[in-house]
Amino acid sequence: MKSAKNSPLKDGARVAIIGGGPAGSFFSIFASKLAKDLGRRLDITIYERKTFVNQGAAGCNMCAGVVSESLVQLLALEGINLPPSVVQSGIESYHFHTQNGNVRIKSSRLQQRGIATIYRGGGPKGSIEKGIQSFDDFLLHKAVECGAKVEHIIVDEIRMERDKPVLYSRGKMLHDCDLLVGASGVKASTGEMYEKLGTGYKAPSIIKAMQSEIEMGNNWISSQFAHSIHIFLLHIPRIKFVSIIPKGDFITISILGKEPDAGCTKVFLSHPEMRKMLPPGFKIPEKFCHCFPKINVGAARKPFAHRLVFVGDASSARLYKDGIGSSYITSKAAAHTALLYGIGEEDFKEHYLPACETLNRDNLFGQFLFHVNDLISTISPLSRGYFKIIQQEQKNLQKDAHYSDILWDMFTGSRFYKNIFIRALNPLPIIRLLLAGSASSLRKVFFSHQ
Amino acid sequence: MPEEGLLGRIYKDDEIIVKEGMQSRTMYVVQSGKVKIVKSDGDKEIILAVLNEGDIFGEMSLFDASPRSASVKAIGEARVLAIEHEGLLKRITMDPTLAFRIIKQMSQRIRNLNSKLSTAMRTITQVNNKLLLLNSENVTFRDRETKSSHVIDNIAQIQKELHKCNELFIQNESL
C-alpha cells in the first residue's frame, strides 16, 4: 500500500492551478472527468489574473493562435467541439511563398477545413467585430462546467508548509492544497517564483517572436487569404520566416527571427511579395496591436516535485509548433498521474516525465528537420527542384504526396517530428529530389548560355 | 453564423457522407446539424439511427477495417469533422484514454442492442406460442365460420407485435 505521501488524489482533494490558459484548463477538465469516472470529487481552483474578454495584450495570452489539425480532432473526440464563435477561420491549406515562386499545399489525407485559427483573448485592440469568443475563455468555461472554480487573484508566493504547498497573494495566505499545478506559461516572474521553491525546477529556455494584428476587412481577407495560412520564406534580413494567419477582419503576422521588432513588420509589409496581397491603397498603420510572445524552445528541468507538477509551456512544448497541443499532452498526462498513480515526486517521475521526454526527444528530430529545410532553401538548385516536385505532387495528391505531406506535417504540427524524419529518410524520394535539383542546375546552365 | 469559422465539411440535405460497402477507416464527429444512418433494403432505405451534434460515427471501421456496414447521410445541412485513422491510432497507442469516449459510446450501443434483443426474443416467443395455439385448434370445414374471426384476430395481433418489434429495432440504432 502506498503511503499518504504519494497516494493518488483522494475524494475531496484540493487542487490549485496557477494559470487559466489552455494548460490549466486542460488539467482541470481531464482531472475532473477522470475523478468522476473513479467516483471521486475534486476541489479545483484555477488562479488566473486575466478574464480573456478584454481586447489587446491585456486580455490575451499572446500566441499565433492556431489549433493544429490533430488537436482539433483530439478535442472533438474528447467531446470539446470548437464553436464558430471561437474559430475565426477554418484552414484547409498552407500557401508557401518562396524565392522560387508560390505553392499551395493541401493535405493528401483529409479534404476538409481541419485547422482552427483563434484569438487567445478578446481580439485585437480596436476590433469592432462582434461575437468573438476567446479560445482561453471557452476552455476556462469548460473547466468551470466540469466543476472548477476560477479566482482572478495573482499568486505571488508559494511555500511548503507541513508537507503541503501553501499559496500567498501580496503577503496574505490564501490556502494550502494537496496538489499545486504550475500552468502559467513562460512568464519570467512566475518561473522565478517556482525556482525559489528549491525543488530543482528550472524554467524553460525561450526565444521571442513578434506578432502583429493588421486590419484588412473580412471581404479582402476572404478573397486573398481564404482558408489558408501563408508562410513566407523569403530571406529577409533578421527574419527566419513569417506566417500570416487569417482571422475575421484581421490578419495575424507572426515573425520568427533575430530579436524581431515592430520595424520587422513594416519591412515585411513593404516586401513586393506581400504588397501583392494588400488591399489597393493600403497604408501601413502607424499603430497596430502587437506583442512579443515568448516561445518555449528548451524543456524545463525537473517539471515536478512532491505535490507539485508543471504543465504546458512551463514544462515541455513542441518546437515552433502546436504549443496548445503540447499543453493538451502534458496536462492530460499530469492529471492522469495524479489520479491514478500518485502525487509524489517518484510518481510523477515514473508516469508523467515520459510524456515530457517524448516531446523533448521529438524536438531533436524537429531541429534536424528545420535545419535540413533551411539548408535546402539556401542551395538554389535543390530548392528549385524541391519546389517543382511539390508543385507536381499538388496536381495529383492521390498519386504521390511524399514531400507535400512532409511539409504539411512540419508546418501544421499534425505529426510528431520523429514520424516525419523516418518518412524523410525514404531513399527513392531523396534520389528524386537530387535528380530534380541536378535537372534544375542543368536547365539554368543551358539557358544562361543561350 | 460566419462561414469562415466553420470546421470540417458541410454536407447538403441527403448528401452521402459514408457509403455502405465502401472501404474506409475514417471516423467522424457531427459538428452541427443531424445525420442519419441508413441501410439499403432493395429499393427501400431503412433508417437505423439519427445522430446529433457531438455524436461519433464510423468507429467500427476504425478498429476492424471492414467495409462500411451502413450509409450515413445528412439530414438538412450538416457539418461533420473527419478524424484521420492513422494519426488517431498512433495517438491511442500513446494515450489509451483517448479511446474511452469511443468505448463508452460503443458499450451504450451494445446495452441498447441487448435490451432490444431481449424484447425481440420475448415477442418471438409470444408469437410462436400463438402460432402453436392456432395450429392445435382443429379448424374443420364445418366450424370455420365461427373460428375464422378468432384466427384473423390472432394473426392481426401477431402482425401487430412483429411490427412493434421491427419499430423497436429501427429506432435509435447505430453503426
Side-chain angles (χ1 to χ4, degrees), chain A residues 207-220:
Chain A
I207 58 163
K208 267 187 189 174
M210 155 119 207
Q211 241 135 244
S212 315
E213 309 284 352
I214 306 288
E215 190 172 7
M216 285 187 185
N218 200 303
N219 289 342
W220 183 260

Side-chain angles (χ1 to χ4, degrees), chain A residues 226-303:
Chain A
H227 306 289
S228 194
I229 288 177
H230 291 249
I231 305 282
F232 293 79
L233 301 156
L234 295 169
H235 300 300
I236 303 170
R238 291 174 60 206
I239 297 176
K240 193 177 166 75
F241 71 81
V242 181
S243 314
I244 291 196
I245 301 139
K247 294 178 187 173
D249 283 334
F250 285 76
I251 54 167
T252 299
I253 301 177
S254 183
I255 299 177
L256 213 65
K258 226 175 193 176
E259 293 293 319
D261 53 26
C264 287
T265 304
K266 290 182 178 173
V267 168
F268 170 69
L269 284 169
S270 308
H271 192 281
E273 185 62 25
M274 184 57 201
R275 285 220 76 91
K276 285 193 287 191
M277 304 189 73
L278 299 175
F282 176 84
K283 282 189 183 146
I284 301 169
E286 274 307 310
K287 283 183 180 175
F288 47 86
C289 187
H290 67 278
C291 61
F292 299 93
K294 291 169 187 165
I295 300 176
N296 173 332
V297 286
R301 196 176 70 203
K302 204 164 169 278

Side-chain angles (χ1 to χ4, degrees), chain A residues 106-118:
Chain A
K106 280 190 162 192
S107 166
S108 69
R109 296 188 286 261
L110 294 175
Q111 304 303 311
Q112 66 176 354
R113 289 175 190 163
I115 297 168
T117 72
I118 46 113

Side-chain angles (χ1 to χ4, degrees), chain A residues 86 88 118-121 123-124 132-136 213 247 250:
Chain A
V86 170
Q88 301 307 311
I118 46 113
Y119 283 121
R120 300 287 302 275
I132 292 176
Q133 191 186 6
S134 138
F135 178 76
D136 291 26
E213 309 284 352
K247 294 178 187 173
F250 285 76

Side-chain angles (χ1 to χ4, degrees), chain A residues 141-400:
Chain A
H141 273 89
K142 288 272 167 204
V144 171
E145 277 171 29
C146 290
K149 294 189 287 280
V150 180
E151 295 279 3
H152 297 292
I153 298 171
I154 300 171
V155 175
D156 51 21
E157 195 184 351
I158 301 157
R159 290 184 208 156
M160 286 302 282
E161 292 172 8
R162 290 187 297 277
D163 192 43
K164 281 188 176 183
V166 183
L167 280 64
Y168 287 84
S169 177
R170 290 173 186 155
K172 193 180 149 204
M173 190 182 110
L174 297 173
H175 64 80
D176 66 1
C177 58
D178 296 294
L179 176 68
L180 176 68
V181 181
S184 38
V186 283
K187 212 173 148 204
S189 56
T190 38
E192 280 168 23
M193 177 177 81
Y194 297 134
E195 284 171 2
K196 272 186 197 163
L197 277 168
T199 59
Y201 172 78
K202 189 162 184 347
S205 48
I206 51 153
I207 58 163
K208 267 187 189 174
M210 155 119 207
Q211 241 135 244
S212 315
E213 309 284 352
I214 306 288
E215 190 172 7
M216 285 187 185
N218 200 303
N219 289 342
W220 183 260
I221 289 173
S222 294
S223 65
Q224 288 296 306
F225 301 91
H227 306 289
S228 194
I229 288 177
H230 291 249
I231 305 282
F232 293 79
L233 301 156
L234 295 169
H235 300 300
I236 303 170
R238 291 174 60 206
I239 297 176
K240 193 177 166 75
F241 71 81
V242 181
S243 314
I244 291 196
I245 301 139
K247 294 178 187 173
D249 283 334
F250 285 76
I251 54 167
T252 299
I253 301 177
S254 183
I255 299 177
L256 213 65
K258 226 175 193 176
E259 293 293 319
D261 53 26
C264 287
T265 304
K266 290 182 178 173
V267 168
F268 170 69
L269 284 169
S270 308
H271 192 281
E273 185 62 25
M274 184 57 201
R275 285 220 76 91
K276 285 193 287 191
M277 304 189 73
L278 299 175
F282 176 84
K283 282 189 183 146
I284 301 169
E286 274 307 310
K287 283 183 180 175
F288 47 86
C289 187
H290 67 278
C291 61
F292 299 93
K294 291 169 187 165
I295 300 176
N296 173 332
V297 286
R301 196 176 70 203
K302 204 164 169 278
F304 56 86
H306 179 63
R307 294 187 185 275
L308 176 64
V309 66
F310 297 91
V311 293
D313 273 353
S315 173
S316 292
R318 294 188 67 196
L319 186 69
Y320 304 140
K321 289 285 133 204
D322 200 19
I324 304 170
S326 311
S327 293
Y328 166 88
I329 293 171
T330 53
S331 300
K332 200 172 180 189
H336 287 185
T337 302
L339 275 147
L340 295 172
Y341 303 102
I343 49 174
E345 189 172 319
E346 282 303 309
D347 300 301
F348 286 121
K349 190 177 176 183
E350 194 179 334
H351 301 283
Y352 171 60
L353 187 60
C356 301
E357 284 176 340
T358 302
L359 291 178
N360 302 343
R361 268 195 308 271
D362 194 58
N363 285 342
L364 298 176
F365 291 100
Q367 259 169 5
F368 179 80
L369 285 168
F370 278 107
H371 279 311
V372 171
N373 202 55
D374 286 350
L375 191 71
I376 290 174
S377 70
T378 52
I379 303 170
S380 293
L382 264 188
S383 168
R384 282 194 298 272
Y386 188 44
F387 186 77
K388 209 163 179 60
I389 289 173
I390 286 170
Q391 270 184 325
Q392 281 166 356
E393 284 181 352
Q394 285 298 311
K395 284 177 191 159
N396 188 357
L397 281 172
Q398 300 314 314
K399 196 177 160 202
D400 184 14

